[in-house]
Amino acid sequence: MLKPKIPLNEEDRIKALESFEILNTLEEEEYDAITRIAAEICNTPMALVSLVDSDRQWFKSHYGIDATETPRDLAFCAHAINNPEELFIVKDSSKDERFADNPLVTGGPQVQFYAGAPLNTKDGFSIGTLCVIDTLPRTNFTPKQQACLRSLANQVMAQLELRRQNRLQQIINHELSVKNNQLKHFTYRLAHDMKTPLQGIGALVSFIKMDYLHLLKDTEVPEWLDTIEDRVSYMEALINGIMNYTNIMNSEVEYNEFHIATELHHISQELGKTSHISLTPIGCDRTIVHSLKSFNQIFSELILNSIKFSRQELTEIKISFAEGENSYSFTYEDNGPGIPEKYWEKVFVMFETLRKENPTDTGIGLATIRAIIEKLGGRIELKNHPDKRSGIYFQISLLKETGVEQKSFKSNYS
């Protein structure tokens, strides 16, 4: 018996094998199916997915044989990996000086015929074989069977690559989850630590105005106090906006069944307590399945913006709905001053504002809206009114959740 040679690239080959993290794992149907098919096509009683480790060959799948590994010195597969580009075929091992007295030949499992297709990585390392075994010599291993064995070996490698990619993705997802949780904790902590002194400053300014303003009326101090209050309001709005943005980006999307017009009515009723709003829904007498939380966030923020920048005594808003094959479409328009076209992209950038008409203008609102919509696979665009009149005109598309089954969403009307 001749021991198999050790490949010149053995160290790198072992690293390549270990990178798949497959050794000593449980059986998997994907690999067992391939060995069954290989044995059927090649008309052999045994087939293996064999991975050649430093001192053994280990079977990820073993069809027709109970063993899960053998010493490397005895392994036919350890010979096969030395010629990565070729099938390794032994037609009659009892007449081959390399294997005639091999315990795998003279004893169980009595290997007389062997054909192995090397399992080659993308970097050219042969980590094992897909092999078929017979207890009788073979002279009729056809070209068609050889081609099929090669193809099935490629499928084994495809499964190994897919398995590795899935594992890497799981690691990345876990790391992202950890970092997101750390960021969320940091944001909450930072917000708390910043809001507490801001509230103290705001309270102190209020006390000074209440108790000492009469002493300061002929000085610049009242103006300075107003400026401090404005800055405190801005910082609080900024903190709340960042917190809201962080919560949105880290929260899971939950789909609900809801009636569009009803939800818009609830939003306008709530926001209309402090402002004069006229909201006209068009085509909104529809029930859809989507993220109700996101829907409310989007349209609440848009309506708040309309109210904030309106120069009219009555803020008039129209929201239209249409359903496409793969998405829901909305148009949002108001009677406000609108936004010049040269600023259309700027308004969606975090912290960008066109004008400081209000101390709470932070430039986070529209950035948050776009983040929500893009998270849902949709888009939002600013456009000119079709009739060329002034005012905001947004076009919004929300991708339908085509995979939602009847039991996977919550109904608000059950």
Side-chain angles (χ1 to χ4, degrees):
M1 184 186 81
L2 297 178
K3 292 183 179 181
K5 295 179 180 179
I6 301 298
L8 296 176
N9 61 359
E10 178 67 2
E11 184 176 349
D12 291 332
R13 191 194 69 81
I14 291 295
K15 288 180 180 178
L17 171 59
E18 291 174 346
S19 71
F20 290 96
E21 298 186 22
I22 191 76
L23 295 173
N24 301 318
T25 58
L26 297 175
E27 296 178 4
E28 297 178 52
E29 174 57 27
E30 291 84 355
Y31 303 96
D32 291 344
I34 291 175
T35 52
R36 286 197 303 270
I37 293 169
E40 182 67 25
I41 291 174
C42 297
N43 194 28
T44 60
M46 291 172 277
L48 306 168
V49 172
S50 173
L51 302 171
V52 180
D53 200 359
S54 56
D55 57 359
R56 60 171 179 161
Q57 65 170 347
W58 177 79
F59 306 141
K60 176 57 183 175
S61 177
H62 47 103
Y63 177 82
I65 184 173
D66 292 332
T68 57
E69 62 179 67
T70 70
R72 179 171 176 170
D73 288 346
L74 305 181
F76 283 60
C77 299
H79 290 268
I81 63 173
N82 285 303
N83 295 288
E85 303 305 319
E86 301 176 8
L87 286 180
F88 186 75
I89 300 175
V90 180
K91 295 181 178 180
D92 187 348
S93 59
S94 65
K95 296 179 181 178
D96 191 315
E97 64 176 0
R98 294 170 296 179
F99 306 107
D101 57 347
N102 187 313
L104 300 179
V105 175
T106 58
Q110 297 184 336
V111 179
Q112 297 298 307
F113 169 81
Y114 171 94
L119 302 175
N120 299 326
T121 69
K122 294 177 180 179
D123 297 325
F125 298 110
S126 185
I127 59 173
T129 71
L130 170 66
C131 63
V132 290
I133 298 169
D134 203 338
T135 56
L136 299 172
R138 290 277 295 273
T139 58
N140 60 339
F141 193 54
T142 68
K144 183 177 180 179
Q145 290 172 322
Q146 294 180 39
C148 288
L149 190 62
R150 286 181 182 274
S151 296
L152 289 171
N154 291 337
Q155 288 301 308
V156 172
M157 284 308 305
Q159 287 294 330
L160 288 172
E161 290 288 353
L162 179 61
R163 186 181 187 280
R164 179 164 63 179
Q165 289 301 318
N166 288 340
R167 184 168 180 80
L168 287 174
Q169 190 61 54
Q170 290 174 354
I171 293 172
I172 292 171
N173 289 343
H174 175 71
E175 291 176 350
L176 286 175
S177 178
V178 170
K179 291 184 183 298
N180 281 337
N181 287 333
Q182 290 173 343
L183 177 60
K184 189 174 181 180
H185 176 75
F186 172 78
T187 304
Y188 276 118
R189 184 70 186 181
L190 182 64
H192 178 270
D193 290 349
M194 290 180 68
K195 288 177 79 170
T196 300
L198 284 174
Q199 290 169 351
I201 294 170
L204 182 59
V205 170
S206 296
F207 294 152
I208 293 173
K209 281 187 170 184
M210 290 173 58
D211 297 338
Y212 301 103
L213 195 59
H214 64 286
L215 301 175
L216 306 170
K217 60 182 179 180
D218 295 326
T219 70
E220 294 178 330
V221 173
E223 185 178 341
W224 296 344
L225 292 175
D226 289 341
T227 300
I228 293 172
E229 281 191 323
D230 284 350
R231 294 295 183 266
V232 169
S233 296
Y234 174 77
M235 286 300 297
E236 289 181 337
L238 192 64
I239 292 168
N240 291 332
I242 292 172
M243 286 290 296
N244 184 45
Y245 184 88
T246 302
N247 288 336
I248 288 168
M249 298 312 294
N250 284 288
S251 63
E252 293 185 5
V253 177
E254 181 182 278
Y255 286 85
N256 314 81
E257 182 184 66
F258 62 91
H259 187 259
I260 300 171
T262 300
E263 295 304 324
L264 291 176
H265 176 72
H266 290 161
I267 295 170
S268 64
Q269 286 288 100
E270 184 64 28
L271 298 179
K273 291 177 180 178
T274 55
S275 304
H276 297 293
I277 304 172
S278 172
L279 191 151
T280 304
I282 301 172
C284 295
D285 188 18
R286 296 284 304 277
T287 297
I288 63 173
V289 175
H290 216 277
S291 171
L292 176 58
K293 180 179 180 181
S294 298
F295 178 89
N296 286 334
Q297 288 171 327
I298 292 167
F299 287 101
S300 293
E301 188 65 41
L302 289 176
I303 294 172
L304 278 172
N305 270 3
S306 293
I307 295 170
K308 186 186 300 182
F309 297 108
S310 176
R311 295 172 182 169
Q312 309 293 332
E313 187 173 331
L314 177 66
T315 303
E316 297 179 357
I317 298 167
K318 291 183 181 179
I319 299 176
S320 304
F321 171 78
E323 182 174 0
E325 183 178 354
N326 300 312
S327 64
Y328 299 122
S329 299
F330 296 87
T331 58
Y332 178 95
E333 50 189 302
D334 68 17
N335 64 336
I339 298 173
E341 189 170 344
K342 63 181 179 179
Y343 298 124
W344 283 0
E345 188 58 32
K346 180 180 179 181
V347 296
F348 291 110
V349 178
M350 184 77 79
F351 307 125
E352 290 282 1
T353 58
L354 301 186
R355 48 191 176 267
K356 285 284 186 181
E357 296 185 357
N358 189 301
T360 60
D361 294 342
T362 61
I364 298 178
L366 287 178
T368 301
I369 289 173
R370 182 155 77 171
I372 295 171
I373 291 171
E374 290 180 350
K375 185 176 180 179
L376 296 170
R379 62 185 301 177
I380 180 170
E381 295 178 286
L382 258 172
K383 295 195 173 184
N384 289 313
H385 269 282
D387 59 4
K388 305 302 181 183
R389 63 186 174 86
S390 63
I392 281 293
Y393 190 84
F394 286 109
Q395 285 192 334
I396 301 167
S397 66
L398 298 176
L399 190 67
K400 287 183 179 179
E401 177 58 24
T402 55
V404 174
E405 298 179 0
Q406 290 297 318
K407 293 183 180 179
S408 64
F409 63 84
K410 295 182 179 180
S411 173
N412 293 314
Y413 308 101
S414 58

